[in-house]
Amino acid sequence: MTAADYVVSPSPIVLVPVKGVAARFPVHRIYCVGRNYAAHAIEMGGDPNREPPFFFQKNPDNLVLGGGDFPYPPKSGNVHFEIEMVIAVGAGGRDIPVDQALDHVYGYAIGIDMTRRDLQDECKKMSRPWEIAKAFEHSAPMGDIVRAADIGHPDKGAIWLKVNGETKQQGDLNQLIWKTPEIISYLSGLFELRPGDLIMSGTPSGVGAIRRGDVMEGFCERVGTVRATVA
Ligand code: MN
Protein backbone atom coordinates (compact mmCIF):
# COMPACT_ATOMS: atom_id res chain seq x y z
CA MET A 1 0.00 0.00 0.00
CA THR A 2 1.19 3.52 -0.75
CA ALA A 3 -0.19 6.96 0.09
CA ALA A 4 -2.13 6.80 -3.17
CA ASP A 5 -4.17 3.88 -1.78
CA TYR A 6 -5.67 6.05 0.99
CA VAL A 7 -8.06 8.96 0.64
CA VAL A 8 -6.72 10.41 3.92
CA SER A 9 -3.56 9.55 5.91
CA PRO A 10 -4.00 6.32 7.90
CA SER A 11 -3.30 6.52 11.65
CA PRO A 12 -0.18 4.68 12.77
CA ILE A 13 -0.44 1.47 14.81
CA VAL A 14 0.28 2.23 18.48
CA LEU A 15 3.19 0.05 19.67
CA VAL A 16 4.09 -0.59 23.33
CA PRO A 17 7.63 -1.64 24.29
CA VAL A 18 7.95 -5.06 25.96
CA LYS A 19 10.63 -5.57 28.60
CA GLY A 20 13.45 -7.82 27.41
CA VAL A 21 12.06 -8.20 23.88
CA ALA A 22 12.94 -6.23 20.75
CA ALA A 23 9.48 -6.66 19.18
CA ARG A 24 6.63 -4.45 20.38
CA PHE A 25 2.98 -4.96 21.35
CA PRO A 26 0.50 -3.53 18.77
CA VAL A 27 -2.56 -2.10 20.52
CA HIS A 28 -6.03 -3.02 19.26
CA ARG A 29 -8.52 -1.67 21.85
CA ILE A 30 -8.34 -0.33 25.40
CA TYR A 31 -11.04 -1.53 27.80
CA CYS A 32 -11.34 -0.20 31.35
CA VAL A 33 -13.12 -1.71 34.37
CA GLY A 34 -15.06 0.72 36.56
CA ARG A 35 -15.11 0.58 40.38
CA ASN A 36 -13.12 -2.59 40.91
CA TYR A 37 -11.77 -1.90 44.42
CA ALA A 38 -14.33 -1.67 47.25
CA ALA A 39 -12.70 1.37 48.88
CA HIS A 40 -12.74 3.27 45.57
CA ALA A 41 -16.37 2.28 44.90
CA ILE A 42 -17.26 3.80 48.27
CA GLU A 43 -15.31 7.03 47.66
CA MET A 44 -17.17 7.40 44.31
CA GLY A 45 -20.52 7.00 46.10
CA GLY A 46 -21.10 3.50 44.76
CA ASP A 47 -21.91 0.10 46.15
CA PRO A 48 -18.86 -1.84 47.40
CA ASN A 49 -20.68 -5.13 46.98
CA ARG A 50 -20.05 -7.38 44.02
CA GLU A 51 -22.40 -5.94 41.44
CA PRO A 52 -21.52 -7.12 37.91
CA PRO A 53 -18.42 -5.42 36.47
CA PHE A 54 -18.97 -2.59 34.00
CA PHE A 55 -16.68 -1.36 31.29
CA PHE A 56 -15.81 1.70 29.27
CA GLN A 57 -13.15 2.31 26.63
CA LYS A 58 -10.28 4.56 25.79
CA ASN A 59 -8.61 4.85 22.39
CA PRO A 60 -5.24 3.27 21.54
CA ASP A 61 -3.82 6.67 20.56
CA ASN A 62 -4.71 8.05 24.02
CA LEU A 63 -1.67 6.18 25.38
CA VAL A 64 1.33 8.16 26.59
CA LEU A 65 4.36 5.86 26.50
CA GLY A 66 7.98 6.19 27.56
CA GLY A 67 7.40 8.54 30.50
CA GLY A 68 6.14 11.36 28.28
CA ASP A 69 4.26 14.44 29.44
CA PHE A 70 0.55 14.48 30.27
CA PRO A 71 -0.72 17.81 28.88
CA TYR A 72 -3.45 19.24 31.13
CA PRO A 73 -6.60 18.70 29.03
CA PRO A 74 -9.07 21.41 28.01
CA LYS A 75 -12.62 21.88 29.35
CA SER A 76 -11.88 20.64 32.86
CA GLY A 77 -10.81 22.09 36.18
CA ASN A 78 -10.72 18.78 38.03
CA VAL A 79 -8.50 16.16 36.40
CA HIS A 80 -7.88 13.03 38.47
CA PHE A 81 -5.31 10.23 38.43
CA GLU A 82 -6.35 6.58 38.79
CA ILE A 83 -3.46 4.09 39.03
CA GLU A 84 -4.32 0.69 37.54
CA MET A 85 -2.75 -2.60 36.58
CA VAL A 86 -3.18 -3.19 32.86
CA ILE A 87 -3.75 -6.63 31.32
CA ALA A 88 -2.28 -7.15 27.83
CA VAL A 89 -4.25 -9.71 25.82
CA GLY A 90 -2.15 -12.09 23.71
CA ALA A 91 -4.79 -14.47 22.42
CA GLY A 92 -8.33 -13.43 21.55
CA GLY A 93 -11.63 -15.17 21.97
CA ARG A 94 -15.31 -15.01 22.85
CA ASP A 95 -16.98 -16.43 25.97
CA ILE A 96 -13.63 -17.40 27.48
CA PRO A 97 -14.12 -19.62 30.57
CA VAL A 98 -12.65 -18.29 33.82
CA ASP A 99 -10.35 -21.30 34.19
CA GLN A 100 -8.82 -20.71 30.74
CA ALA A 101 -8.69 -16.91 30.89
CA LEU A 102 -5.05 -16.55 31.98
CA ASP A 103 -3.96 -18.48 28.85
CA HIS A 104 -5.13 -15.42 26.90
CA VAL A 105 -2.83 -12.99 28.74
CA TYR A 106 0.42 -11.91 27.09
CA GLY A 107 1.59 -9.70 29.94
CA TYR A 108 0.93 -6.80 32.28
CA ALA A 109 1.72 -3.12 32.61
CA ILE A 110 0.94 -0.26 34.94
CA GLY A 111 -1.11 2.66 33.68
CA ILE A 112 -2.96 5.78 34.83
CA ASP A 113 -6.61 6.22 33.87
CA MET A 114 -6.65 10.03 33.69
CA THR A 115 -10.18 11.34 34.20
CA ARG A 116 -11.88 14.71 33.72
CA ARG A 117 -13.84 14.17 36.95
CA ASP A 118 -16.02 17.26 36.65
CA LEU A 119 -17.18 16.14 33.20
CA GLN A 120 -17.67 12.59 34.46
CA ASP A 121 -19.85 13.86 37.34
CA GLU A 122 -22.00 15.69 34.78
CA CYS A 123 -22.24 12.56 32.61
CA LYS A 124 -23.34 10.48 35.59
CA LYS A 125 -25.93 13.06 36.62
CA MET A 126 -27.41 13.22 33.12
CA SER A 127 -27.03 9.48 32.34
CA ARG A 128 -24.69 10.26 29.45
CA PRO A 129 -21.77 8.14 28.22
CA TRP A 130 -18.29 8.74 29.67
CA GLU A 131 -16.07 9.28 26.63
CA ILE A 132 -15.57 13.01 27.21
CA ALA A 133 -14.39 12.22 30.75
CA LYS A 134 -12.21 9.23 29.94
CA ALA A 135 -11.18 8.93 26.30
CA PHE A 136 -9.48 12.25 25.62
CA GLU A 137 -6.01 12.83 24.19
CA HIS A 138 -3.10 11.61 26.37
CA SER A 139 -5.56 10.17 28.92
CA ALA A 140 -3.63 6.91 29.38
CA PRO A 141 0.01 7.20 30.48
CA MET A 142 1.40 3.65 30.64
CA GLY A 143 4.70 1.87 31.34
CA ASP A 144 6.28 -0.93 29.34
CA ILE A 145 4.65 -4.36 29.19
CA VAL A 146 6.23 -7.25 31.10
CA ARG A 147 5.53 -10.76 29.82
CA ALA A 148 3.48 -13.20 31.88
CA ALA A 149 6.09 -15.74 30.72
CA ASP A 150 8.60 -13.78 32.82
CA ILE A 151 6.57 -12.68 35.87
CA GLY A 152 3.54 -14.99 36.03
CA HIS A 153 0.09 -13.54 36.77
CA PRO A 154 0.11 -11.04 39.66
CA ASP A 155 -2.94 -11.48 41.92
CA LYS A 156 -1.44 -9.77 44.95
CA GLY A 157 1.17 -7.11 45.56
CA ALA A 158 1.42 -3.41 46.23
CA ILE A 159 0.03 -0.87 43.78
CA TRP A 160 0.54 2.82 44.52
CA LEU A 161 0.71 6.28 43.04
CA LYS A 162 2.71 9.23 44.30
CA VAL A 163 2.38 12.86 43.25
CA ASN A 164 5.56 14.90 43.74
CA GLY A 165 6.88 12.11 45.99
CA GLU A 166 3.81 12.06 48.26
CA THR A 167 1.78 8.85 48.39
CA LYS A 168 -1.80 9.43 47.19
CA GLN A 169 -3.05 5.96 46.32
CA GLN A 170 -1.99 2.76 48.01
CA GLY A 171 -3.63 -0.60 47.52
CA ASP A 172 -2.98 -4.26 46.88
CA LEU A 173 -3.96 -6.28 43.84
CA ASN A 174 -5.57 -8.79 46.21
CA GLN A 175 -8.28 -6.13 46.83
CA LEU A 176 -9.59 -6.34 43.24
CA ILE A 177 -13.30 -7.16 43.38
CA TRP A 178 -13.20 -8.84 39.94
CA LYS A 179 -9.92 -10.72 39.40
CA THR A 180 -8.01 -10.91 36.13
CA PRO A 181 -9.55 -14.24 34.96
CA GLU A 182 -13.06 -13.03 35.80
CA ILE A 183 -12.54 -9.70 34.02
CA ILE A 184 -11.37 -11.49 30.86
CA SER A 185 -14.19 -14.02 31.00
CA TYR A 186 -16.89 -11.39 31.57
CA LEU A 187 -15.52 -8.95 28.96
CA SER A 188 -15.19 -11.70 26.33
CA GLY A 189 -18.92 -12.34 26.69
CA LEU A 190 -19.61 -8.74 25.68
CA PHE A 191 -16.89 -8.22 23.05
CA GLU A 192 -14.68 -10.47 20.96
CA LEU A 193 -11.27 -10.05 22.53
CA ARG A 194 -8.37 -9.71 20.11
CA PRO A 195 -4.61 -9.97 20.46
CA GLY A 196 -3.43 -6.44 21.24
CA ASP A 197 -6.30 -5.53 23.53
CA LEU A 198 -5.41 -3.79 26.80
CA ILE A 199 -7.64 -3.94 29.87
CA MET A 200 -7.22 -1.38 32.67
CA SER A 201 -8.33 -3.32 35.74
CA GLY A 202 -9.60 -0.54 38.02
CA THR A 203 -8.11 1.76 40.64
CA PRO A 204 -7.70 1.59 44.43
CA SER A 205 -8.95 4.46 46.62
CA GLY A 206 -7.23 7.81 47.03
CA VAL A 207 -7.90 9.31 43.60
CA GLY A 208 -7.39 13.04 43.43
CA ALA A 209 -6.71 16.09 41.31
CA ILE A 210 -3.45 17.09 39.64
CA ARG A 211 -2.04 20.48 38.71
CA ARG A 212 0.37 21.61 36.02
CA GLY A 213 3.94 20.75 36.97
CA ASP A 214 2.99 17.75 39.12
CA VAL A 215 5.00 14.56 38.65
CA MET A 216 2.96 11.36 38.90
CA GLU A 217 4.80 8.14 39.66
CA GLY A 218 3.04 4.79 39.78
CA PHE A 219 4.23 1.38 40.84
CA CYS A 220 2.86 -2.14 40.77
CA GLU A 221 4.78 -4.99 42.35
CA ARG A 222 6.32 -7.36 39.74
CA VAL A 223 4.77 -5.29 36.93
CA GLY A 224 6.81 -2.08 36.97
CA THR A 225 6.51 1.67 37.01
CA VAL A 226 4.89 4.53 35.14
CA ARG A 227 5.80 8.19 35.26
CA ALA A 228 4.20 11.28 33.76
CA THR A 229 4.63 15.01 34.27
CA VAL A 230 1.58 17.26 34.01
CA ALA A 231 2.47 19.82 31.33
MN1 MN B 1 -10.34 3.75 36.25
Side-chain angles (χ1 to χ4, degrees):
M1 302 285 272
T2 68
D5 293 309
Y6 303 106
V7 295
V8 296
S9 301
S11 300
I13 298 169
V14 176
L15 298 166
V16 184
V18 179
K19 197 178 169 194
V21 183
R24 288 179 288 171
F25 182 92
V27 181
H28 176 239
R29 291 181 186 163
I30 304 176
Y31 299 101
C32 306
V33 187
R35 290 185 198 142
N36 204 20
Y37 287 76
H40 175 64
I42 293 167
E43 77 180 348
M44 289 288 104
D47 182 349
N49 295 314
R50 215 166 125 102
E51 47 187 34
F54 69 93
F55 302 92
F56 57 90
Q57 283 175 261
K58 290 180 186 264
N59 304 295
D61 63 358
N62 297 154
L63 288 168
V64 180
L65 302 168
D69 284 350
F70 170 76
Y72 199 98
K75 310 291 183 196
S76 177
N78 191 23
V79 178
H80 279 201
F81 47 78
E82 298 188 356
I83 191 73
E84 313 202 0
M85 184 179 77
V86 184
I87 303 158
V89 175
R94 288 183 181 162
D95 296 318
I96 298 166
V98 170
D99 64 357
Q100 292 168 27
L102 293 181
D103 299 339
H104 292 258
V105 176
Y106 175 80
Y108 297 88
I110 176 93
I112 314 176
D113 167 14
M114 298 303 301
T115 302
R116 291 195 276 215
R117 191 72 73 202
D118 41 5
L119 299 190
Q120 187 194 27
D121 289 344
E122 264 179 50
C123 292
K124 286 179 182 172
K125 229 178 280 169
M126 305 183 78
S127 300
R128 288 178 176 165
W130 285 6
E131 280 84 359
I132 60 167
K134 293 289 197 177
F136 56 91
E137 274 66 47
H138 312 288
S139 61
M142 193 178 83
D144 293 354
I145 291 171
V146 288
R147 298 187 304 172
D150 293 332
I151 64 150
H153 298 278
D155 56 3
K156 58 180 184 311
I159 179 168
W160 54 248
L161 182 130
K162 295 179 182 180
V163 177
N164 305 327
E166 188 186 326
T167 301
K168 298 287 188 182
Q169 291 188 270
Q170 195 157 27
D172 193 292
L173 295 176
N174 67 13
Q175 298 161 341
L176 280 167
I177 296 171
W178 295 92
K179 313 295 183 189
T180 299
E182 296 167 326
I183 293 169
I184 290 168
S185 180
Y186 205 101
L187 188 60
S188 71
L190 294 165
F191 298 95
E192 179 181 356
L193 292 186
R194 294 276 306 269
D197 287 340
L198 296 174
I199 307 168
M200 303 190 78
S201 60
T203 196
S205 60
V207 300
I210 41 91
R211 288 182 298 191
R212 284 181 183 79
D214 283 347
V215 177
M216 299 180 284
E217 287 174 290
F219 170 86
C220 183
E221 206 173 315
R222 279 157 78 186
V223 172
T225 58
V226 61
R227 184 188 165 90
T229 302
V230 184

